[in-house]
Amino acid sequence: YTLRGGVYRDPRIWRDGLAMMRDLQPEILLNTHTRLVVGKEEVMKRLTGYMHQITLTFDRTLRGILGGLGPEEIRHEIYYPPHLKEIPENAQVYGETVHFPEAIYQYVIGWFDGDVTKLFRVPPKEEAERLVELMGGKGKVVAVARRALQNKEYAWGTQLIQYVYLLDPTDREVRQVKADLLRQMAYRTTGSIARAFLMSEALA
């Protein structure tokens, strides 16, 4: 899955294509997104490792679905053993695996994850208004988001500040806190696509 959108890329088709290439036992591997690989043994290692990572992502997503987990939970359940992390093609420098399970989930069984509380919800702005009030008002939420920034809890901080942002997208203080949080996340993400989105939003 790519954050910019696009049709579903079935991991099984990628896996089968990689298996077909591996079975040809090539000595040279030419890529469009990575460097040339030379040597039959090294090519086999790269193709097999890449294939295993794609397969593991798909299989663990299905396992999560069968275990009753929703897409937001499954994205935190994908684990890769060290030997797969050593494969250069598996580096999280373009897309990031954390974004893949939700796309697989929606393709396999649709958007509904079985949580009936999500069937009928109030609009996002109304939800923000009610939650900000429950949390003690704008000032308190902004203060907690700033503390999250200081504590390097960037994902939590962005979740919090977004509620206040929805109430008034023109609020300069809120916009600055949100931008600071997004920028820090951008500095730390390994994927170029996520980083571009984060930095673009922060600059805006």
Side-chain angles (χ1 to χ4, degrees), residues 118-188:
K118 295 178 181 175
L119 288 178
F120 301 99
R121 304 187 67 119
V122 298
K125 186 173 181 181
E126 182 182 342
E127 179 186 40
E129 289 170 349
R130 294 180 182 218
L131 286 175
V132 169
E133 182 183 354
L134 279 173
M135 289 186 272
K138 172 196 163 186
K140 190 164 185 179
V141 177
V142 172
V144 175
R146 285 187 188 279
R147 191 169 18 193
L149 177 62
Q150 293 170 353
N151 294 338
K152 301 181 179 179
E153 299 171 333
Y154 307 119
W156 173 235
T158 55
Q159 286 178 244
L160 287 174
I161 203 65
Q162 183 66 4
Y163 289 123
V164 184
Y165 176 82
L166 286 174
L167 300 184
D168 181 7
T170 65
D171 187 306
R172 292 178 63 86
E173 178 189 23
V174 173
R175 290 172 67 86
Q176 188 61 60
V177 174
K178 181 177 178 181
D180 292 342
L181 284 159
L182 295 176
R183 191 170 284 110
Q184 290 303 320
M185 281 205 292
Y187 292 157
R188 287 161 176 79

Side-chain angles (χ1 to χ4, degrees), residues 9-193:
R9 300 174 177 180
D10 193 328
R12 294 167 297 184
I13 294 174
W14 278 35
R15 175 199 63 200
D16 295 348
L18 291 163
M20 185 182 296
M21 286 189 281
R22 185 192 60 178
D23 292 345
L24 292 172
Q25 298 188 6
E27 296 182 14
I28 297 173
L29 183 64
L30 292 169
N31 298 290
T32 56
H33 285 71
T34 60
R35 294 180 179 178
L36 171 77
V37 181
V38 178
K40 183 181 286 189
E41 186 176 332
E42 187 63 23
V43 168
M44 291 291 284
K45 177 183 173 184
R46 302 283 189 93
L47 286 173
T48 301
Y50 188 37
M51 182 179 70
H52 284 174
Q53 175 138 320
I54 291 172
T55 303
L56 186 58
T57 303
F58 185 71
D59 288 351
R60 288 193 63 85
T61 300
L62 295 183
R63 190 179 295 256
I65 292 171
L66 292 173
L69 299 179
E72 294 174 5
E73 297 165 304
I74 296 172
R75 73 187 318 204
H76 299 288
E77 295 291 320
I78 306 295
Y79 165 78
Y80 295 109
H83 75 277
L84 289 183
K85 294 180 181 178
E86 294 172 1
I87 304 296
E89 285 73 18
N90 290 344
Q92 307 285 295
V93 295
Y94 186 59
E96 293 176 75
T97 304
V98 71
H99 301 134
F100 303 159
E102 291 183 59
I104 296 170
Y105 191 104
Q106 289 211 6
Y107 180 79
V108 172
I109 62 172
W111 66 266
F112 180 50
D113 63 2
D115 181 351
V116 295
T117 67
K118 295 178 181 175
L119 288 178
F120 301 99
R121 304 187 67 119
V122 298
K125 186 173 181 181
E126 182 182 342
E127 179 186 40
E129 289 170 349
R130 294 180 182 218
L131 286 175
V132 169
E133 182 183 354
L134 279 173
M135 289 186 272
K138 172 196 163 186
K140 190 164 185 179
V141 177
V142 172
V144 175
R146 285 187 188 279
R147 191 169 18 193
L149 177 62
Q150 293 170 353
N151 294 338
K152 301 181 179 179
E153 299 171 333
Y154 307 119
W156 173 235
T158 55
Q159 286 178 244
L160 287 174
I161 203 65
Q162 183 66 4
Y163 289 123
V164 184
Y165 176 82
L166 286 174
L167 300 184
D168 181 7
T170 65
D171 187 306
R172 292 178 63 86
E173 178 189 23
V174 173
R175 290 172 67 86
Q176 188 61 60
V177 174
K178 181 177 178 181
D180 292 342
L181 284 159
L182 295 176
R183 191 170 284 110
Q184 290 303 320
M185 281 205 292
Y187 292 157
R188 287 161 176 79
T189 187
T190 58
S192 60
I193 297 177

